[in-house]
Amino acid sequence: MTKSHHVQIGNITVGNDLPFALIAGPCQMESMIHAMDMAGQLFEMTQKLGMGLVYKTSFDKANRTSLTAQRGLGLEGAIPVFQRIRSEFGIPVLTDVHLPEHCAELGDAVDVLQIPAFLCRQTDLLIAAAKTGKVINVKKGQFLAPWDMKNVANKLIESGNNRVLLTERGASFGYNTLVSDMRSLSIMAEQTGQPIVFDATHSVQQPGGQGTSSGGQREFVPVLARAAVSVGVAMVFMETHQDPDNAPSDGPNMVPIDQMEALLTTLQKFDNLAKNL
């Protein structure tokens, strides 16, 4: 993997040549109590492993399969939760943005603004995110080639923000199926020089695969995560939940939190070998 410049996210530094850091949390924010519990468990786990952590959760799941699906607490309800997680655990927080106005509204509440895959070419959204000065994590669209992400990264950099992460989350392969091309991790790193993230849980998603919701194959998360870490990435993204089968969204592809520590321990061993750490 090509070395990247390093990006500071709160109290951690990420780069393709550094020990990988973790982006993790439940798909959507359910409540203050649930968020604090999940953040606490992940904080304790990563502290034990000596691993950098960025807590992830979405205040609004705006691209749900069905109109009846749950979407989250909403912006006003989520901001106090983000702020409490940051103050109580001292960890950076990441959330998705869907509209340009979200970027400034979230500027004081989170550390990383994430551009969803479906919106990765939305110029106004990218410019608004860049102008906040926050770290920007852009998910590669399921419809894009890895070399297309150079143009996406340049929109942010040319707007005055080089604190950019690029995430691989699989490419559309027929109907309701994604496939992860591990070559894309190296291609994006080589062509952009940015830290690269591998999204292990959305890569096993089956978009719309359950009719009114997305399916997934969480049993393959460890397989793909090991492969990506073997290539050498800056961060691994994994959504997690204490009861994925009853989670309000993305349950089929989330990792049960009681399985996370063992998986992360294994990934650290692969990371050490890949980077000769």
Side-chain angles (χ1 to χ4, degrees):
M1 172 73 78
T2 300
K3 290 184 179 181
S4 68
H5 81 275
H6 295 167
V7 172
Q8 191 74 24
I9 311 175
N11 57 358
I12 63 174
T13 305
V14 300
N16 297 329
D17 57 332
L18 299 178
F20 84 89
L22 177 68
I23 300 173
C27 178
Q28 68 172 264
M29 188 182 288
E30 299 175 32
S31 68
M32 173 75 81
I33 292 173
H34 184 256
M36 293 301 293
D37 178 59
M38 296 294 291
Q41 290 188 63
L42 288 166
F43 176 71
E44 182 178 338
M45 189 185 306
T46 51
Q47 286 290 106
K48 177 180 176 181
L49 296 173
M51 179 181 295
L53 170 67
V54 175
Y55 183 76
K56 178 271 167 188
T57 192
S58 298
F59 67 88
D60 180 19
K61 301 302 296 182
N63 61 346
R64 299 304 306 278
T65 304
S66 169
L67 190 62
T68 60
Q70 296 183 54
R71 290 180 53 166
L73 291 186
L75 188 61
E76 290 186 10
I79 285 177
V81 182
F82 292 140
Q83 293 171 331
R84 185 172 172 189
I85 290 170
R86 294 169 83 199
S87 63
E88 188 154 327
F89 299 109
I91 55 177
V93 171
L94 173 153
T95 197
D96 310 89
V97 289
H98 307 281
L99 300 170
E101 52 264 35
H102 288 163
C103 300
E105 292 174 26
L106 283 162
D108 294 330
V110 302
D111 303 270
V112 184
L113 299 176
Q114 180 167 279
I115 308 298
F118 289 127
L119 300 177
C120 69
R121 294 181 65 180
Q122 294 294 106
T123 301
D124 289 343
L125 179 59
L126 292 167
I127 292 172
K131 287 182 177 178
T132 66
K134 296 289 180 179
V135 177
I136 312 299
N137 181 37
V138 188
K139 290 198 169 184
K140 180 176 74 64
Q142 301 92 324
F143 44 87
L144 290 183
W147 43 86
D148 294 329
M149 290 300 286
K150 183 175 182 179
N151 293 324
V152 174
N154 284 342
K155 287 183 181 181
L156 293 163
I157 294 167
E158 291 169 10
S159 296
N161 189 340
N162 69 349
R163 305 177 71 202
V164 177
L165 314 174
L166 301 176
T167 296
E168 171 60 61
R169 52 95 74 235
S172 295
F173 186 74
Y175 298 125
N176 307 122
T177 305
L178 300 170
V179 63
S180 293
D181 180 358
M182 295 300 161
R183 297 175 301 174
S184 71
L185 302 172
S186 290
I187 292 169
M188 287 194 293
E190 290 169 2
Q191 294 205 359
T192 69
Q194 303 302 133
I196 303 302
V197 183
F198 181 69
D199 183 343
T201 47
H202 287 99
S203 290
V204 301
Q205 189 184 59
Q206 295 171 314
Q210 294 184 344
T212 58
S213 64
S214 291
Q217 296 176 298
R218 74 169 71 99
E219 66 269 25
F220 293 118
V221 170
V223 177
L224 294 182
R226 290 195 301 266
V229 170
S230 297
V231 173
V233 292
M235 307 186 80
V236 175
F237 180 117
M238 288 192 286
E239 289 186 335
T240 185
H241 196 277
Q242 85 283 358
D243 184 13
D245 291 334
N246 290 298
S249 58
D250 274 12
N253 48 269
M254 282 199 283
V255 177
I257 197 163
D258 61 6
Q259 297 177 17
M260 283 285 284
E261 184 173 338
L263 175 54
L264 292 172
T265 300
T266 298
L267 295 180
Q268 280 188 317
K269 295 175 181 177
F270 277 77
D271 191 54
N272 290 339
L273 285 171
K275 296 171 182 172
N276 196 28
L277 297 173

PDB file of all heavy atoms in Angstrom, residues 248-277:
ATOM      1  N   PRO A 248     -32.685  -1.466  14.307  1.00  0.00           N
ATOM      2  CA  PRO A 248     -33.628  -0.791  13.401  1.00  0.00           C
ATOM      3  C   PRO A 248     -33.143  -0.676  11.964  1.00  0.00           C
ATOM      4  O   PRO A 248     -33.945  -0.413  11.066  1.00  0.00           O
ATOM      5  CB  PRO A 248     -33.791   0.598  14.025  1.00  0.00           C
ATOM      6  CG  PRO A 248     -32.571   0.802  14.850  1.00  0.00           C
ATOM      7  CD  PRO A 248     -32.189  -0.554  15.346  1.00  0.00           C
ATOM      8  N   SER A 249     -31.842  -0.857  11.708  1.00  0.00           N
ATOM      9  CA  SER A 249     -31.344  -0.808  10.335  1.00  0.00           C
ATOM     10  C   SER A 249     -30.026  -1.560  10.236  1.00  0.00           C
ATOM     11  O   SER A 249     -29.249  -1.619  11.190  1.00  0.00           O
ATOM     12  CB  SER A 249     -31.156   0.649   9.868  1.00  0.00           C
ATOM     13  OG  SER A 249     -30.264   1.346  10.719  1.00  0.00           O
ATOM     14  N   ASP A 250     -29.790  -2.133   9.060  1.00  0.00           N
ATOM     15  CA  ASP A 250     -28.523  -2.796   8.712  1.00  0.00           C
ATOM     16  C   ASP A 250     -28.132  -3.942   9.644  1.00  0.00           C
ATOM     17  O   ASP A 250     -26.958  -4.324   9.705  1.00  0.00           O
ATOM     18  CB  ASP A 250     -27.378  -1.775   8.648  1.00  0.00           C
ATOM     19  CG  ASP A 250     -27.285  -1.105   7.288  1.00  0.00           C
ATOM     20  OD1 ASP A 250     -28.233  -1.259   6.490  1.00  0.00           O
ATOM     21  OD2 ASP A 250     -26.290  -0.426   7.019  1.00  0.00           O
ATOM     22  N   GLY A 251     -29.100  -4.508  10.344  1.00  0.00           N
ATOM     23  CA  GLY A 251     -28.805  -5.618  11.239  1.00  0.00           C
ATOM     24  C   GLY A 251     -28.100  -6.797  10.589  1.00  0.00           C
ATOM     25  O   GLY A 251     -27.140  -7.337  11.152  1.00  0.00           O
ATOM     26  N   PRO A 252     -28.529  -7.233   9.387  1.00  0.00           N
ATOM     27  CA  PRO A 252     -27.922  -8.427   8.788  1.00  0.00           C
ATOM     28  C   PRO A 252     -26.432  -8.313   8.484  1.00  0.00           C
ATOM     29  O   PRO A 252     -25.756  -9.329   8.312  1.00  0.00           O
ATOM     30  CB  PRO A 252     -28.727  -8.614   7.496  1.00  0.00           C
ATOM     31  CG  PRO A 252     -30.045  -7.989   7.773  1.00  0.00           C
ATOM     32  CD  PRO A 252     -29.712  -6.789   8.616  1.00  0.00           C
ATOM     33  N   ASN A 253     -25.901  -7.092   8.389  1.00  0.00           N
ATOM     34  CA  ASN A 253     -24.477  -6.971   8.097  1.00  0.00           C
ATOM     35  C   ASN A 253     -23.668  -6.404   9.270  1.00  0.00           C
ATOM     36  O   ASN A 253     -22.460  -6.239   9.163  1.00  0.00           O
ATOM     37  CB  ASN A 253     -24.214  -6.134   6.842  1.00  0.00           C
ATOM     38  CG  ASN A 253     -24.940  -4.830   6.774  1.00  0.00           C
ATOM     39  OD1 ASN A 253     -26.045  -4.764   6.241  1.00  0.00           O
ATOM     40  ND2 ASN A 253     -24.346  -3.776   7.307  1.00  0.00           N
ATOM     41  N   MET A 254     -24.318  -6.138  10.414  1.00  0.00           N
ATOM     42  CA  MET A 254     -23.566  -5.638  11.567  1.00  0.00           C
ATOM     43  C   MET A 254     -22.951  -6.787  12.372  1.00  0.00           C
ATOM     44  O   MET A 254     -23.498  -7.891  12.438  1.00  0.00           O
ATOM     45  CB  MET A 254     -24.462  -4.788  12.468  1.00  0.00           C
ATOM     46  CG  MET A 254     -24.701  -3.392  11.928  1.00  0.00           C
ATOM     47  SD  MET A 254     -25.285  -2.225  13.194  1.00  0.00           S
ATOM     48  CE  MET A 254     -27.000  -2.701  13.333  1.00  0.00           C
ATOM     49  N   VAL A 255     -21.818  -6.495  13.013  1.00  0.00           N
ATOM     50  CA  VAL A 255     -21.117  -7.475  13.843  1.00  0.00           C
ATOM     51  C   VAL A 255     -21.644  -7.386  15.273  1.00  0.00           C
ATOM     52  O   VAL A 255     -21.691  -6.288  15.843  1.00  0.00           O
ATOM     53  CB  VAL A 255     -19.595  -7.201  13.840  1.00  0.00           C
ATOM     54  CG1 VAL A 255     -18.864  -8.169  14.758  1.00  0.00           C
ATOM     55  CG2 VAL A 255     -19.040  -7.277  12.424  1.00  0.00           C
ATOM     56  N   PRO A 256     -22.036  -8.502  15.884  1.00  0.00           N
ATOM     57  CA  PRO A 256     -22.414  -8.457  17.304  1.00  0.00           C
ATOM     58  C   PRO A 256     -21.243  -7.924  18.129  1.00  0.00           C
ATOM     59  O   PRO A 256     -20.100  -8.338  17.941  1.00  0.00           O
ATOM     60  CB  PRO A 256     -22.703  -9.927  17.630  1.00  0.00           C
ATOM     61  CG  PRO A 256     -23.070 -10.545  16.313  1.00  0.00           C
ATOM     62  CD  PRO A 256     -22.210  -9.846  15.301  1.00  0.00           C
ATOM     63  N   ILE A 257     -21.523  -7.006  19.039  1.00  0.00           N
ATOM     64  CA  ILE A 257     -20.430  -6.349  19.746  1.00  0.00           C
ATOM     65  C   ILE A 257     -19.633  -7.320  20.605  1.00  0.00           C
ATOM     66  O   ILE A 257     -18.438  -7.107  20.856  1.00  0.00           O
ATOM     67  CB  ILE A 257     -20.948  -5.152  20.582  1.00  0.00           C
ATOM     68  CG1 ILE A 257     -19.771  -4.236  20.958  1.00  0.00           C
ATOM     69  CG2 ILE A 257     -21.747  -5.626  21.784  1.00  0.00           C
ATOM     70  CD1 ILE A 257     -20.165  -2.860  21.414  1.00  0.00           C
ATOM     71  N   ASP A 258     -20.255  -8.427  21.026  1.00  0.00           N
ATOM     72  CA  ASP A 258     -19.499  -9.385  21.829  1.00  0.00           C
ATOM     73  C   ASP A 258     -18.514 -10.205  20.998  1.00  0.00           C
ATOM     74  O   ASP A 258     -17.735 -10.990  21.543  1.00  0.00           O
ATOM     75  CB  ASP A 258     -20.440 -10.308  22.617  1.00  0.00           C
ATOM     76  CG  ASP A 258     -21.367 -11.143  21.745  1.00  0.00           C
ATOM     77  OD1 ASP A 258     -21.229 -11.120  20.504  1.00  0.00           O
ATOM     78  OD2 ASP A 258     -22.237 -11.825  22.306  1.00  0.00           O
ATOM     79  N   GLN A 259     -18.537 -10.022  19.670  1.00  0.00           N
ATOM     80  CA  GLN A 259     -17.558 -10.686  18.797  1.00  0.00           C
ATOM     81  C   GLN A 259     -16.469  -9.739  18.301  1.00  0.00           C
ATOM     82  O   GLN A 259     -15.525 -10.160  17.631  1.00  0.00           O
ATOM     83  CB  GLN A 259     -18.276 -11.300  17.590  1.00  0.00           C
ATOM     84  CG  GLN A 259     -19.284 -12.387  17.941  1.00  0.00           C
ATOM     85  CD  GLN A 259     -20.026 -12.916  16.723  1.00  0.00           C
ATOM     86  OE1 GLN A 259     -19.601 -12.724  15.566  1.00  0.00           O
ATOM     87  NE2 GLN A 259     -21.149 -13.569  16.953  1.00  0.00           N
ATOM     88  N   MET A 260     -16.591  -8.459  18.637  1.00  0.00           N
ATOM     89  CA  MET A 260     -15.693  -7.458  18.072  1.00  0.00           C
ATOM     90  C   MET A 260     -14.261  -7.587  18.574  1.00  0.00           C
ATOM     91  O   MET A 260     -13.308  -7.491  17.797  1.00  0.00           O
ATOM     92  CB  MET A 260     -16.222  -6.055  18.373  1.00  0.00           C
ATOM     93  CG  MET A 260     -17.376  -5.627  17.506  1.00  0.00           C
ATOM     94  SD  MET A 260     -16.843  -5.183  15.822  1.00  0.00           S
ATOM     95  CE  MET A 260     -16.106  -3.579  16.111  1.00  0.00           C
ATOM     96  N   GLU A 261     -14.066  -7.805  19.871  1.00  0.00           N
ATOM     97  CA  GLU A 261     -12.706  -7.805  20.409  1.00  0.00           C
ATOM     98  C   GLU A 261     -11.862  -8.908  19.791  1.00  0.00           C
ATOM     99  O   GLU A 261     -10.701  -8.688  19.430  1.00  0.00           O
ATOM    100  CB  GLU A 261     -12.721  -7.939  21.930  1.00  0.00           C
ATOM    101  CG  GLU A 261     -11.328  -7.831  22.523  1.00  0.00           C
ATOM    102  CD  GLU A 261     -11.324  -7.803  24.042  1.00  0.00           C
ATOM    103  OE1 GLU A 261     -12.360  -7.449  24.652  1.00  0.00           O
ATOM    104  OE2 GLU A 261     -10.273  -8.126  24.630  1.00  0.00           O
ATOM    105  N   ALA A 262     -12.429 -10.100  19.652  1.00  0.00           N
ATOM    106  CA  ALA A 262     -11.678 -11.210  19.055  1.00  0.00           C
ATOM    107  C   ALA A 262     -11.321 -10.893  17.606  1.00  0.00           C
ATOM    108  O   ALA A 262     -10.196 -11.173  17.156  1.00  0.00           O
ATOM    109  CB  ALA A 262     -12.495 -12.497  19.137  1.00  0.00           C
ATOM    110  N   LEU A 263     -12.255 -10.306  16.863  1.00  0.00           N
ATOM    111  CA  LEU A 263     -11.991  -9.963  15.473  1.00  0.00           C
ATOM    112  C   LEU A 263     -10.918  -8.887  15.375  1.00  0.00           C
ATOM    113  O   LEU A 263      -9.992  -8.984  14.557  1.00  0.00           O
ATOM    114  CB  LEU A 263     -13.287  -9.494  14.801  1.00  0.00           C
ATOM    115  CG  LEU A 263     -13.177  -8.984  13.363  1.00  0.00           C
ATOM    116  CD1 LEU A 263     -12.492  -9.996  12.459  1.00  0.00           C
ATOM    117  CD2 LEU A 263     -14.554  -8.624  12.818  1.00  0.00           C
ATOM    118  N   LEU A 264     -10.997  -7.867  16.208  1.00  0.00           N
ATOM    119  CA  LEU A 264     -10.001  -6.800  16.171  1.00  0.00           C
ATOM    120  C   LEU A 264      -8.610  -7.307  16.540  1.00  0.00           C
ATOM    121  O   LEU A 264      -7.606  -6.869  15.973  1.00  0.00           O
ATOM    122  CB  LEU A 264     -10.418  -5.671  17.119  1.00  0.00           C
ATOM    123  CG  LEU A 264     -11.663  -4.882  16.710  1.00  0.00           C
ATOM    124  CD1 LEU A 264     -12.072  -3.926  17.822  1.00  0.00           C
ATOM    125  CD2 LEU A 264     -11.422  -4.111  15.408  1.00  0.00           C
ATOM    126  N   THR A 265      -8.556  -8.230  17.482  1.00  0.00           N
ATOM    127  CA  THR A 265      -7.269  -8.821  17.868  1.00  0.00           C
ATOM    128  C   THR A 265      -6.635  -9.540  16.684  1.00  0.00           C
ATOM    129  O   THR A 265      -5.425  -9.417  16.429  1.00  0.00           O
ATOM    130  CB  THR A 265      -7.466  -9.791  19.042  1.00  0.00           C
ATOM    131  OG1 THR A 265      -8.009  -9.075  20.158  1.00  0.00           O
ATOM    132  CG2 THR A 265      -6.146 -10.423  19.457  1.00  0.00           C
ATOM    133  N   THR A 266      -7.455 -10.285  15.945  1.00  0.00           N
ATOM    134  CA  THR A 266      -6.951 -10.966  14.744  1.00  0.00           C
ATOM    135  C   THR A 266      -6.493  -9.962  13.696  1.00  0.00           C
ATOM    136  O   THR A 266      -5.424 -10.122  13.089  1.00  0.00           O
ATOM    137  CB  THR A 266      -8.054 -11.870  14.146  1.00  0.00           C
ATOM    138  OG1 THR A 266      -8.401 -12.876  15.095  1.00  0.00           O
ATOM    139  CG2 THR A 266      -7.589 -12.534  12.860  1.00  0.00           C
ATOM    140  N   LEU A 267      -7.277  -8.914  13.490  1.00  0.00           N
ATOM    141  CA  LEU A 267      -6.920  -7.918  12.482  1.00  0.00           C
ATOM    142  C   LEU A 267      -5.621  -7.204  12.835  1.00  0.00           C
ATOM    143  O   LEU A 267      -4.837  -6.863  11.942  1.00  0.00           O
ATOM    144  CB  LEU A 267      -8.055  -6.909  12.309  1.00  0.00           C
ATOM    145  CG  LEU A 267      -9.375  -7.456  11.753  1.00  0.00           C
ATOM    146  CD1 LEU A 267     -10.404  -6.346  11.631  1.00  0.00           C
ATOM    147  CD2 LEU A 267      -9.169  -8.157  10.418  1.00  0.00           C
ATOM    148  N   GLN A 268      -5.375  -6.978  14.109  1.00  0.00           N
ATOM    149  CA  GLN A 268      -4.116  -6.356  14.508  1.00  0.00           C
ATOM    150  C   GLN A 268      -2.917  -7.211  14.089  1.00  0.00           C
ATOM    151  O   GLN A 268      -1.883  -6.678  13.666  1.00  0.00           O
ATOM    152  CB  GLN A 268      -4.083  -6.133  16.018  1.00  0.00           C
ATOM    153  CG  GLN A 268      -4.827  -4.908  16.484  1.00  0.00           C
ATOM    154  CD  GLN A 268      -4.603  -4.630  17.953  1.00  0.00           C
ATOM    155  OE1 GLN A 268      -4.622  -5.547  18.784  1.00  0.00           O
ATOM    156  NE2 GLN A 268      -4.399  -3.375  18.308  1.00  0.00           N
ATOM    157  N   LYS A 269      -3.059  -8.516  14.177  1.00  0.00           N
ATOM    158  CA  LYS A 269      -1.961  -9.414  13.788  1.00  0.00           C
ATOM    159  C   LYS A 269      -1.699  -9.327  12.281  1.00  0.00           C
ATOM    160  O   LYS A 269      -0.542  -9.287  11.849  1.00  0.00           O
ATOM    161  CB  LYS A 269      -2.282 -10.849  14.196  1.00  0.00           C
ATOM    162  CG  LYS A 269      -2.372 -11.051  15.706  1.00  0.00           C
ATOM    163  CD  LYS A 269      -2.819 -12.456  16.067  1.00  0.00           C
ATOM    164  CE  LYS A 269      -2.930 -12.618  17.579  1.00  0.00           C
ATOM    165  NZ  LYS A 269      -3.429 -13.948  17.966  1.00  0.00           N
ATOM    166  N   PHE A 270      -2.765  -9.277  11.497  1.00  0.00           N
ATOM    167  CA  PHE A 270      -2.606  -9.125  10.050  1.00  0.00           C
ATOM    168  C   PHE A 270      -1.977  -7.767   9.710  1.00  0.00           C
ATOM    169  O   PHE A 270      -1.137  -7.658   8.825  1.00  0.00           O
ATOM    170  CB  PHE A 270      -3.971  -9.263   9.358  1.00  0.00           C
ATOM    171  CG  PHE A 270      -4.399 -10.683   9.115  1.00  0.00           C
ATOM    172  CD1 PHE A 270      -4.898 -11.465  10.139  1.00  0.00           C
ATOM    173  CD2 PHE A 270      -4.309 -11.251   7.846  1.00  0.00           C
ATOM    174  CE1 PHE A 270      -5.297 -12.782   9.932  1.00  0.00           C
ATOM    175  CE2 PHE A 270      -4.716 -12.554   7.616  1.00  0.00           C
ATOM    176  CZ  PHE A 270      -5.204 -13.320   8.651  1.00  0.00           C
ATOM    177  N   ASP A 271      -2.430  -6.742  10.429  1.00  0.00           N
ATOM    178  CA  ASP A 271      -1.923  -5.386  10.198  1.00  0.00           C
ATOM    179  C   ASP A 271      -0.420  -5.304  10.511  1.00  0.00           C
ATOM    180  O   ASP A 271       0.348  -4.700   9.751  1.00  0.00           O
ATOM    181  CB  ASP A 271      -2.703  -4.415  11.089  1.00  0.00           C
ATOM    182  CG  ASP A 271      -2.464  -2.950  10.757  1.00  0.00           C
ATOM    183  OD1 ASP A 271      -2.643  -2.581   9.576  1.00  0.00           O
ATOM    184  OD2 ASP A 271      -2.122  -2.174  11.648  1.00  0.00           O
ATOM    185  N   ASN A 272      -0.012  -5.926  11.584  1.00  0.00           N
ATOM    186  CA  ASN A 272       1.398  -5.928  11.969  1.00  0.00           C
ATOM    187  C   ASN A 272       2.258  -6.591  10.904  1.00  0.00           C
ATOM    188  O   ASN A 272       3.360  -6.113  10.571  1.00  0.00           O
ATOM    189  CB  ASN A 272       1.599  -6.642  13.298  1.00  0.00           C
ATOM    190  CG  ASN A 272       1.031  -5.860  14.467  1.00  0.00           C
ATOM    191  OD1 ASN A 272       0.832  -4.651  14.381  1.00  0.00           O
ATOM    192  ND2 ASN A 272       0.766  -6.546  15.571  1.00  0.00           N
ATOM    193  N   LEU A 273       1.764  -7.675  10.331  1.00  0.00           N
ATOM    194  CA  LEU A 273       2.506  -8.370   9.281  1.00  0.00           C
ATOM    195  C   LEU A 273       2.555  -7.526   8.002  1.00  0.00           C
ATOM    196  O   LEU A 273       3.612  -7.410   7.370  1.00  0.00           O
ATOM    197  CB  LEU A 273       1.865  -9.730   8.988  1.00  0.00           C
ATOM    198  CG  LEU A 273       2.102 -10.832  10.006  1.00  0.00           C
ATOM    199  CD1 LEU A 273       1.222 -12.036   9.692  1.00  0.00           C
ATOM    200  CD2 LEU A 273       3.569 -11.246  10.043  1.00  0.00           C
ATOM    201  N   ALA A 274       1.420  -6.948   7.631  1.00  0.00           N
ATOM    202  CA  ALA A 274       1.342  -6.196   6.380  1.00  0.00           C
ATOM    203  C   ALA A 274       2.254  -4.975   6.403  1.00  0.00           C
ATOM    204  O   ALA A 274       2.857  -4.605   5.383  1.00  0.00           O
ATOM    205  CB  ALA A 274      -0.104  -5.778   6.110  1.00  0.00           C
ATOM    206  N   LYS A 275       2.363  -4.341   7.575  1.00  0.00           N
ATOM    207  CA  LYS A 275       3.117  -3.088   7.672  1.00  0.00           C
ATOM    208  C   LYS A 275       4.471  -3.259   8.355  1.00  0.00           C
ATOM    209  O   LYS A 275       5.175  -2.282   8.588  1.00  0.00           O
ATOM    210  CB  LYS A 275       2.278  -2.053   8.423  1.00  0.00           C
ATOM    211  CG  LYS A 275       0.995  -1.692   7.677  1.00  0.00           C
ATOM    212  CD  LYS A 275       0.069  -0.821   8.529  1.00  0.00           C
ATOM    213  CE  LYS A 275      -1.229  -0.523   7.792  1.00  0.00           C
ATOM    214  NZ  LYS A 275      -2.210   0.149   8.660  1.00  0.00           N
ATOM    215  N   ASN A 276       4.794  -4.519   8.704  1.00  0.00           N
ATOM    216  CA  ASN A 276       6.077  -4.804   9.360  1.00  0.00           C
ATOM    217  C   ASN A 276       6.227  -3.965  10.626  1.00  0.00           C
ATOM    218  O   ASN A 276       7.280  -3.360  10.879  1.00  0.00           O
ATOM    219  CB  ASN A 276       7.247  -4.561   8.410  1.00  0.00           C
ATOM    220  CG  ASN A 276       8.540  -5.199   8.912  1.00  0.00           C
ATOM    221  OD1 ASN A 276       8.505  -6.202   9.635  1.00  0.00           O
ATOM    222  ND2 ASN A 276       9.666  -4.623   8.554  1.00  0.00           N
ATOM    223  N   LEU A 277       5.160  -3.936  11.429  1.00  0.00           N
ATOM    224  CA  LEU A 277       5.156  -3.109  12.638  1.00  0.00           C
ATOM    225  C   LEU A 277       5.804  -3.854  13.801  1.00  0.00           C
ATOM    226  O   LEU A 277       5.798  -5.078  13.851  1.00  0.00           O
ATOM    227  CB  LEU A 277       3.709  -2.736  13.001  1.00  0.00           C
ATOM    228  CG  LEU A 277       2.972  -1.889  11.960  1.00  0.00           C
ATOM    229  CD1 LEU A 277       1.513  -1.727  12.344  1.00  0.00           C
ATOM    230  CD2 LEU A 277       3.636  -0.526  11.821  1.00  0.00           C
TER     231      LEU A 277
END
